[in-house]
Amino acid sequence: MQRRCAVISDPNSRPSSPARLVVYAALAGNIAVAVTKLAAAIITGSAAMFSEAVHSIVDSGNEGLLLYGYRRSARRPDIVHPLGFGRELYFWSFIVALLLFGLGAGVSLYQGCLHVMAPQAVEHVMVSYVVLGLSFLFESTSWIIAWRNFARVRGKLGFWTAFRRSKDPPAFMVLFEDSAALIGITIAAAGIAAAEVFDMPVFDGVASILIGLVLAVTALLLAIESKSLLIGERASPVLVDAICQIAQEQPGVVHANSALTAQLAPDQAVVALSIEFDNALGTEQIEACVAAIEKRVQMTHPDVIALFVKPQTLGQFESARKKRFGDYLFPATRS
């Protein structure tokens, strides 16, 4: 019996995800904030303000790239890419992390070092405070939208666990960027205030360096998670367990062994299901059994865009599993 593959869902039929709406909101806010900060940096000559302006400009570009990634990932599969282009979103998410590190953190650190070595007095300090206050308000609005979306997605999971398990980079990228922005605005305000109160412009440069370090740490975390998704992560073990349960309940199935999965995009997964069928079944009966499983999976899990079914005894599956993964025990292996 040959293994059977069924493309059971069209990747192009996906509705707009809430995470995409979060990106749109963040893009609109960052463009307005970037223009305001840049004008204030030119007027005041503040290194911290300039770092904040660069940060907002980079964030605006990042949101644009994430939206571009969403669009590219939704393209229809072709002969060369039979499973679609879902991982393009993960590619552009990785590029966003690199830009945040290279441009955001790099420019901030460079400007900070320049102003520490050659301090310059901050002019029109009140302009800086007004701009930073408005920026904090705008960024807070974007942060609340991103937080609510992430809280909805993570459910009862802890923050770090939800971040590591998330398959939708924009869902946490915007939240991390906005968090870094709020921290950066606070540092910038503190640096400018210290420079004014103590008449030591060097504090302005120090604030820019601290902003650069915040952006570097944020970019590193985002890059690590995006790289993992780009290389290829499994889908949720809950999905494996649910599909195995569907297969196990189908007449003619002796044992649903387990499944290998691959996450192609936030709402696209491929599943390779190992099943032991009743020896009494003929070829046509097995085909009908597999078709019934595919139909139920399509109805209950539309994010599974392709399902591969391999007839295999439990003993053969265990042997193949140990050969490939050693002593690792699949969480969803059914007994």
Side-chain angles (χ1 to χ4, degrees), residues 29 56 111 117 140 159 165 181 222 275-276 287 290 316 326:
S56 295
Q111 284 291 321
M117 292 185 293
S140 296
F159 180 86
R165 292 185 184 180
L222 296 178
I275 298 177
E276 181 177 353
E287 287 285 333
V290 172
Q316 290 173 331

Side-chain angles (χ1 to χ4, degrees), residues 237-249:
V238 175
L239 176 65
V240 176
D241 196 55
I243 292 178
C244 285
Q245 181 65 40
I246 290 174
Q248 191 70 60
E249 294 172 354

